[in-house]
Amino acid sequence: MIVPKPITFGHRPGRFVLDRHTSLAADPALGEVAGWLRGELGTLSGGELLPGGQGPETISLGLGDLAPEAYRLTVGDDGVRIVAGGAAGAFYGAQSFLQLLPPAAFRKAAAGPLTAPGVHVEDAPRFRWRGCLLDVARHFMPKHEVLRFIDLLAMHKLNVLHLHLTDDQGWRVEIRRHPRLTEVGAWRRESQTGWNGPMDGRPHGGYYTQDDIREIVAYAARRHVTVVPEIDLPGHTQAAIAAYPELGNLDTPLEVGTTWGIGENVLNVEDATIAFFRDVLEEVLELFPSPYVCLGGDECRKDQWRASPAAQRRIAELGLRDEEELQSWFVHRFDAFLTARGRRLVGWDEILEGGLAPGSVVASWRGDLGAVAAARRGHDVINCSNTELYLDYRQGPGEDEPVPFGTVLTLDDVYAFEPIPADLRGDPAARHILGAQCGVWTELIDNGRHVDYMAFPRLAAFAETVWSPAERDLADFRARLAVHLRRLEAVGVEYRHEEGPLPWQRRPGVPGRPEDPVEWQAQLAAWTSNLRDLA
């Protein structure tokens, strides 16, 4: 009935009726959770859900001797009681209670009394990092769409929104000391259609003001979601270089990127460029209280550094062996900067190559090899495996899938994902796996409806892999998912149906990446060639 599945779920006699007589009581420390729940239930109860004491008509939120994200939920003729170890646990208990109501209740339209069955639930998450990356750099998503997405993450007890804010194709966060980052870098003149297709001839852009970011962060915090910003460097930086050419390695001016793939343009390694991005990060840290800040570090091509006299002088001055170590030196500058301010750097697993900054967290995306190598070296890891968790990959074969890309990644494939790599099971190094994160990359996803289609219902399957116990039952999940899909429909999520895309979701003829298994395996081998030696 509940998604993700609780540790224990049992029926008990009785039921609870939510109506205009229902009241809500809460420990003072849980006032914010109570306020959120009052807002969710107010229109459903037909009343104001006034404060109340204990009793059969009361929903009560209390604190107990539990872990901060753990909760116990009891529902019956004697009322609803949620006991939690902290505000986060109370919030998750409230989310589970909402899922006991009829799916139609999620439409937020008062329709008379609603009934929840008698149950006893005891629950806590398996992993502390339960994340989803939303790429707003490739295609900008308006603030209201981001807020809506946060609500959907919270519904599934996910607690990290990794907001990918900058890339070759756009810079999406206002930096007051460097205004051209958004004046120029937030706008591109057109976009490539599909992965290999022609240009669409339509300008695209947008960015979040600092007030927008503060609103997003505060909205997420009330739902116990931490927003982790990503500011890419030294690669994936063409939009920044277009705004400030002195950051690059070429004399030729650049425009904001309009095509997809790994770009050649990267930051130079001058002191002034390092100082520029320290300015950027000073403002980012003011906006995002997250203890983690992602600086990318992935897919940095070294051709321009090899051809750059300044980069080669830097290598010689520092006594470095090659450009890989130069990137490591560059990343170390920002690791020290963040550490001095009480934050931790997160980087994609390329930061393992050339030497890893001591306090860095590795977001392992190229299969499991990076996760194994980093964990065995004592570094914390977020498993972001592209072969199992990239939700921009198509969900089924066939000509009518919207923009074919990568390989087929089905709902069942995502549900089979295990955050702890096989090579670490039983290994003490497995304690370094903080959790996992799925990714909604948006090169080929250009609006909120398409995000819905690509994310759901696979995101529900992912949520169960990071919240619930390791033992899984696909048939049981699918039975609970059948009810959960009605909830998603009630809140307007245009998910992919089992039989395939609905008519409006079909976009035949848009070129994507080939799905030849031989080519796909060759690409995976190329991606992971450097990691094999490290692992």
Side-chain angles (χ1 to χ4, degrees):
M1 186 178 296
I2 295 174
V3 175
K5 186 177 183 177
I7 295 174
T8 64
F9 178 95
H11 290 282
R12 64 190 294 262
R15 60 176 188 162
F16 180 80
V17 178
L18 178 72
D19 59 20
R20 62 188 180 86
H21 302 294
T22 302
S23 61
L24 178 63
D27 185 289
L30 302 178
E32 188 168 84
V33 178
W36 171 83
L37 184 58
R38 185 173 283 109
E40 293 295 301
L41 294 177
T43 56
L44 303 182
S45 66
E48 296 184 20
L49 214 65
L50 296 173
Q54 301 297 322
E57 297 175 344
T58 301
I59 301 169
S60 67
L61 307 178
L63 293 172
D65 187 17
L66 298 170
E69 292 188 298
Y71 69 91
R72 289 194 300 266
L73 167 65
T74 305
V75 180
D77 290 335
D78 51 353
V80 175
R81 180 160 177 76
I82 298 169
V83 178
F91 179 81
Y92 298 135
Q95 288 283 8
S96 290
F97 170 68
L98 289 176
Q99 290 195 23
L100 297 175
L101 299 174
F106 283 74
R107 297 187 191 277
K108 304 289 178 63
L114 298 169
T115 301
V119 299
H120 179 79
V121 176
E122 297 196 15
D123 203 9
R126 183 181 174 205
F127 292 99
R128 57 182 165 130
W129 188 294
R130 307 181 301 279
C132 179
L133 177 145
L134 181 62
D135 175 14
V136 295
R138 272 52 175 271
H139 278 100
F140 178 69
M141 286 187 65
K143 179 178 64 178
H144 72 273
E145 292 278 9
V146 176
L147 300 180
R148 173 179 178 270
F149 195 72
I150 290 168
D151 278 326
L152 294 174
L153 297 184
M155 177 191 287
H156 294 84
K157 301 186 177 76
L158 299 181
N159 67 347
V160 175
L161 171 61
H162 179 149
L163 203 56
H164 184 246
L165 290 163
T166 72
D167 214 293
D168 294 325
Q169 298 84 13
W171 185 284
R172 306 294 179 211
V173 57
E174 177 189 20
I175 302 297
R176 289 174 177 165
R177 273 174 275 190
H178 300 296
R180 285 176 59 83
L181 287 171
T182 47
E183 290 171 359
V184 174
W187 313 94
R188 61 176 182 261
R189 60 182 173 83
E190 59 185 351
S191 307
Q192 190 171 24
T193 57
W195 193 264
N196 304 308
M199 309 309 292
D200 64 7
R202 297 182 299 165
H204 178 83
Y207 67 93
Y208 307 107
T209 67
Q210 294 202 355
D211 285 343
D212 288 336
I213 293 294
R214 291 188 183 94
E215 182 180 347
I216 289 168
V217 168
Y219 189 90
R222 288 192 293 272
R223 289 150 181 80
H224 298 274
V225 174
T226 298
V227 183
V228 175
E230 179 171 350
I231 306 294
D232 265 308
L233 57 84
H236 290 284
T237 48
Q238 185 169 326
I241 297 169
Y244 292 95
E246 64 270 22
L247 301 174
N249 296 279
L250 306 177
D251 294 330
T252 307
L254 299 173
E255 66 173 356
V256 176
T258 59
T259 59
W260 317 124
I262 304 174
E264 296 181 354
N265 296 294
V266 302
L267 298 176
N268 64 45
V269 291
E270 300 297 321
D271 291 338
T273 297
I274 293 172
F276 180 100
F277 276 89
R278 283 175 175 163
D279 285 350
V280 168
L281 290 176
E282 287 283 9
E283 296 194 29
V284 168
L285 296 185
E286 291 173 4
L287 296 171
F288 295 92
S290 163
Y292 302 92
V293 176
C294 184
L295 297 185
D298 60 311
E299 298 178 330
C300 177
R301 296 181 64 167
K302 312 298 193 298
D303 299 342
Q304 291 184 354
W305 286 353
R306 294 187 185 98
S308 164
Q312 293 305 308
R313 281 196 302 272
R314 181 72 86 177
I315 290 173
E317 290 167 2
L318 297 169
L320 303 177
R321 287 184 299 182
D322 53 23
E323 290 76 18
E324 297 295 341
E325 288 196 354
L326 181 62
Q327 177 174 343
S328 181
W329 171 84
F330 192 89
V331 171
H332 274 240
R333 306 283 71 72
F334 294 101
D335 178 69
F337 175 87
L338 292 174
T339 300
R341 289 155 179 80
R343 310 296 183 95
R344 295 185 70 185
L345 182 149
V346 177
W348 300 102
D349 56 38
E350 283 91 340
I351 66 173
L352 284 164
E353 301 165 10
L356 181 60
S360 298
V361 177
V362 175
S364 177
W365 70 279
R366 294 175 292 175
D368 283 342
L369 291 174
V372 173
R376 285 180 173 164
R377 294 181 181 198
H379 295 282
D380 287 341
V381 176
I382 307 154
N383 194 336
C384 308
S385 174
N386 70 309
T387 57
E388 298 167 281
L389 297 179
Y390 272 27
L391 303 187
D392 53 325
Y393 291 175
R394 61 195 316 210
Q395 301 176 73
E399 293 296 322
D400 56 358
E401 286 293 324
V403 192
F405 176 71
T407 189
V408 173
L409 183 66
T410 67
L411 175 74
D412 293 1
D413 293 332
V414 175
Y415 191 72
F417 166 72
E418 168 50 45
I420 297 179
D423 287 350
L424 289 180
R425 291 167 205 167
D427 188 324
R431 70 183 185 277
H432 288 293
I433 304 297
L434 300 181
Q437 180 172 286
C438 59
V440 183
W441 299 97
T442 62
E443 290 97 331
L444 311 184
I445 301 174
D446 60 6
N447 61 69
R449 298 178 80 188
H450 197 177
V451 168
D452 276 8
Y453 177 85
M454 300 305 291
F456 293 97
R458 292 185 295 184
L459 187 138
F462 167 74
E464 194 144 307
T465 71
V466 286
W467 177 278
S468 304
E471 301 75 23
R472 290 186 213 118
D473 181 335
L474 179 61
D476 173 72
F477 169 70
R478 283 187 164 274
R480 285 179 288 109
L481 182 65
V483 178
H484 190 62
L485 292 178
R486 291 162 55 200
R487 296 184 196 114
L488 294 180
E489 289 173 359
V491 297
V493 175
E494 298 187 73
Y495 62 87
R496 182 187 188 273
H497 288 248
E498 192 75 36
E499 60 272 17
L502 300 176
W504 75 265
Q505 296 167 329
R506 296 173 187 154
R507 296 162 73 167
V510 179
R513 276 188 171 169
E515 289 184 345
D516 185 322
V518 175
E519 178 175 337
W520 180 245
Q521 291 302 320
Q523 186 176 63
L524 289 179
W527 274 340
T528 57
S529 59
N530 291 334
L531 288 176
R532 286 195 175 86
D533 293 336
L534 294 170

